Amino acid sequence: MRSSHKTGDYPDLLAGALMIGLGGLGLWAARDLTFGTAARMGAGYLPDVTCGFLILIGAVVVGKALSKNLLTTGHWNVKPLLVLSIAVVGFAILAENFGFVISSAWLLVTASLADRESRWREVVTSTLILTVAGALVFVWGLGVKLSILPF
């Protein structure tokens, strides 16, 4: 639904506002961490810089949305939001007790249910690749204290 006399692309406005809000929340959560410098980064350096970029990108998205003609959100499909929330919460619960492989497989397979067009061959392939890559980067490379498997 487009109208030439009103401005504001509501989906983009909501996305930009969400980015700004999450960036602000991240800055607030990291407020007690020391920032440091680029040469001697403190614990708050990465969260602050990342959240700052998230706020900046959100502001750009909001600015572009305000310059477009009106586009309403129309009908809201709540199923993808619920499915993705369940996938993320399940990952957080499973990661501690079942390890990275099982929890990331849960996350990726469950999240794929949010998209009607996902194909199982692609889901299985991407789950295998992303689980191995995630284990290499986070568990072995960065030393995140998380078991690979539950046994």
Side-chain angles (χ1 to χ4, degrees), residues 2 13 15 27 38 51 67 75 79 89 101 105 107 112:
R2 293 210 176 258
L13 281 171
L27 287 175
C51 291
S67 68
H75 172 46
K79 180 188 171 195
V89 169
V101 170
L107 174 70
S112 73

Side-chain angles (χ1 to χ4, degrees), residues 76-99:
W76 285 54
N77 187 0
V78 180
K79 180 188 171 195
L81 179 62
L82 291 174
V83 170
L84 291 175
S85 297
I86 290 168
V88 171
V89 169
F91 176 84
I93 293 169
L94 292 173
E96 190 72 28
N97 298 317
F98 291 96

Side-chain angles (χ1 to χ4, degrees), residues 2-15:
R2 293 210 176 258
S3 171
S4 60
H5 66 285
K6 291 185 179 180
T7 60
D9 185 348
Y10 291 137
D12 284 353
L13 281 171
L14 291 173

